[in-house]
Amino acid sequence: QVQLVQSGGGLVQAGGSLRLSCTGSGRTVSTYAMGWFRQVPGKERTFVACMRGSDTDIYYGDFVKGRFIISRDKAKDTVYLQMDNLNSEDTAVYYCAASYRGPFYESSSYDWWGQGTQVTVYS
């Protein structure tokens, strides 16, 4: 059973940075594709980023535009989302997720989810 525990997030001023963490329950980030999604009330979850087999097999949502970086530490079984130059449109609940099947930009492909963490960007 895969369990994902998220940390990070919070309140940040526009232009600032945050780093989200997502820790698995054992060899998770080495075994599965890891994704980040975000959701605002009343809308579906939006693809943010994913990392598949290798550390260079990475994809981002179109809106990221070089501002976010997904990475992982296999020894810590943790995947990160570094978010820079945040703006108010980045305000959302962010979720990490694990999957063994694609397409990895679709939330329906993911079987295990973190608890979510709120990111609020103020001007």
Side-chain angles (χ1 to χ4, degrees):
Q1 181 71 17
V2 175
Q3 293 183 329
L4 302 172
V5 178
Q6 296 181 224
S7 60
L11 190 65
V12 64
Q13 192 170 19
S17 300
L18 283 174
R19 188 176 80 159
L20 307 182
S21 301
C22 173
T23 300
S25 50
R27 296 185 59 81
T28 301
V29 304
S30 302
T31 303
Y32 301 101
M34 299 300 298
W36 287 96
F37 290 79
R38 69 186 190 183
Q39 188 172 26
V40 297
K43 294 190 177 181
E44 296 183 353
R45 291 183 184 181
T46 303
F47 171 70
V48 177
C50 74
M51 173 180 280
R52 304 198 300 180
S54 72
D55 289 348
T56 58
D57 194 6
I58 292 173
Y59 303 88
Y60 294 99
D62 291 340
F63 69 90
V64 170
K65 298 181 180 178
R67 301 181 299 128
F68 298 177
I69 298 175
I70 185 172
S71 63
R72 67 184 171 186
D73 185 331
K74 293 181 181 180
K76 294 182 179 180
D77 200 22
T78 299
V79 63
Y80 303 98
L81 184 68
Q82 175 67 41
M83 304 185 293
D84 298 322
N85 194 20
L86 288 161
N87 59 63
S88 59
E89 294 182 347
D90 295 316
T91 295
V93 177
Y94 284 72
Y95 296 90
C96 68
S99 173
Y100 60 89
R101 54 188 172 87
F104 297 108
Y105 53 84
E106 290 187 359
S107 60
S108 59
S109 299
Y110 290 79
D111 299 285
W112 301 281
W113 291 85
Q115 79 276 20
T117 185
Q118 177 70 45
V119 171
T120 302
V121 184
Y122 66 94
S123 299

